[in-house]
Amino acid sequence: MKLICEKELCTGCGLCAARCPKHSISLVAEELGHLYPSVDQKKCIDCGLCQKACPSLHDTVCLYPSVAYAAWSKDEEDYRSSTSGGMASVLTHYFLANVGIVYGCTVIPGIEIKHIRIDNLKDAYKLKGSKYVQSSIVDVLSQIRQDVKDGTNVLFIGTPCQVTAVKRMYEEQPDNLFLVDLICHGVPSNKWLVDYIANTLKIKADKVSSIGFRLFEAFSLCVYNDDRLIYKSGDLWTHRYEDLYYNTFIDGFTYRDSCFNCHYAKPERVSDITIGDFWGLGNETDDNYIPKHPYGISCVLPLTEKGKRLISIVKDKLNIYERPVTEAINGNDQLRFPKKKNLRIKFFRRIHKYIGVDAAYKLCVCDKIVKYKIRKIIR
């Protein structure tokens, strides 16, 4: 097997590597550090299991939400320490305290972004917060299969393509597997994050214990050594074009190719529940009856009966208000279409390998940077 799927379709989920019986597939960093499968032809037996598993080569059932909710955690500490209202945290706490285990994304010291297995409440904090980088799920796929086989209730939280990879492990989704997908805008690679922190910020990876990609009051990149803050970018919206990692992310320059062809950036969703920020709240119907929510608010879209039951179970832990489904969809581009690879991005992708990411990005948005600086002077 020389080619599993076309490169522009590959989401880097790693399911092909996890399913290979001869361990002939490894994930190799290519452009901008994104991981793609590489097949060792000496080990490969052409069994075809990789292509049978590949989510990009098969249609996945998606459902249109019948209802939408705006919600946030009633627990003040939980709410303040969350970045989008705390819906993921409420679900995580429920599973760990009552019925099972949770798989979610964390930052491993040394700047490794990956999914881990959590089976107790004291470790729930590891999954909190947004991570604007692609997480690896390869190591947990076999663990998920074993936990589900053992009859354990499993909650998996990830991007839609990661959720699809988990679903592809089964002919039918098991009753004890609960899937929550995040409204994803596209993913930079883990390698690009490491390179940025090491080469631009001049911070060694072994000095990094944690990374915050967002504060409740600002879109800021924060780097920590234990509990000590060693780097903090200005708020993206007030300090635009001042942090290279954040700006290349927000403008879509460092996404993987599949993000521009995303099968899941549409109203029909792949999981039991979709969650994310509720952008556009109040745009279609009055929201004055909803109390103030200064630390963000979650958009919650139940898709399946299982998802609806789960929301009803945790409802007492939430401030939750029903909203029009169209308000949620129209307020968030990624619930309608994927990021477009515009001319600026196309040019950047051609030249960054020759002049570096920093110079390439600045060249591609030089007119915007000039306007930004002029506005700052005028103010």
Side-chain angles (χ1 to χ4, degrees), residues 279-341:
W279 303 119
L281 181 65
N283 284 353
E284 296 193 10
T285 60
D286 177 55
D287 66 335
N288 290 332
Y289 67 95
I290 298 179
K292 291 183 178 180
H293 40 276
Y295 308 112
I297 191 165
S298 295
C299 173
V300 183
L301 303 173
L303 286 313
T304 64
E305 289 303 316
K306 184 191 296 185
K308 293 173 184 177
R309 289 197 303 271
L310 189 54
I311 290 172
S312 68
I313 290 171
V314 300
K315 221 169 187 178
D316 64 326
K317 304 295 183 184
L318 296 164
N319 297 295
I320 187 166
Y321 300 87
E322 186 172 337
R323 302 297 297 174
V325 172
T326 52
E327 183 177 66
I329 293 171
N330 292 330
N332 197 312
D333 288 350
Q334 294 302 123
L335 290 176
R336 290 177 286 129
F337 44 76
K339 175 74 175 178
K340 182 181 179 181
K341 188 185 282 188

Side-chain angles (χ1 to χ4, degrees), residues 72 76 79-80 82-83 215-218 291-297:
W72 67 98
E76 189 68 15
Y79 179 42
R80 283 174 175 267
S82 299
T83 50
L215 304 172
F216 69 82
E217 80 280 6
K292 291 183 178 180
H293 40 276
Y295 308 112
I297 191 165

Side-chain angles (χ1 to χ4, degrees), residues 183-300:
I183 301 174
C184 175
H185 294 260
V187 288
S189 72
N190 198 153
K191 185 179 184 302
W192 161 229
L193 176 64
V194 173
D195 290 347
Y196 172 69
I197 292 175
N199 301 329
T200 303
L201 302 184
K202 306 300 182 184
I203 301 172
K204 294 181 179 179
D206 60 5
K207 299 295 183 183
V208 179
S209 59
S210 183
I211 301 172
F213 293 85
R214 183 171 162 187
L215 304 172
F216 69 82
E217 80 280 6
F219 281 76
S220 295
L221 180 67
C222 298
V223 181
Y224 300 89
N225 176 252
D226 293 328
D227 293 327
R228 185 170 64 91
L229 179 66
I230 54 179
Y231 172 78
K232 178 179 180 293
S233 70
D235 182 6
L236 177 70
W237 307 124
T238 58
H239 294 73
R240 195 68 158 94
Y241 304 110
E242 295 182 17
D243 182 89
L244 180 64
Y245 183 85
Y246 226 133
N247 280 289
T248 53
F249 161 71
I250 209 71
D251 289 336
F253 281 65
T254 50
Y255 295 170
R256 66 182 297 124
D257 287 332
S258 62
C259 296
F260 302 105
N261 305 289
C262 181
H263 295 310
Y264 315 106
K266 58 185 179 181
E268 296 80 15
R269 310 301 295 173
V270 73
S271 63
D272 296 307
I273 303 172
T274 291
I275 61 175
D277 288 287
F278 204 126
W279 303 119
L281 181 65
N283 284 353
E284 296 193 10
T285 60
D286 177 55
D287 66 335
N288 290 332
Y289 67 95
I290 298 179
K292 291 183 178 180
H293 40 276
Y295 308 112
I297 191 165
S298 295
C299 173
V300 183

Side-chain angles (χ1 to χ4, degrees), residues 14-27:
L15 182 58
C16 55
R19 293 297 300 273
C20 179
K22 295 298 182 179
H23 307 290
S24 67
I25 301 172
S26 57
L27 296 178

Side-chain angles (χ1 to χ4, degrees), residues 105-116:
C105 179
T106 193
V107 180
I108 304 293
I111 321 179
E112 185 179 5
I113 316 299
K114 62 188 299 184
H115 268 60
I116 59 172

Side-chain angles (χ1 to χ4, degrees), residues 3 61 145 155 165-166 170 218 246 249 263 280 324 341 369 379:
L3 181 67
V61 174
R145 283 183 64 87
L155 173 66
V166 173
Y170 304 95
Y246 226 133
F249 161 71
H263 295 310
K341 188 185 282 188
I369 294 175
R379 290 173 186 169

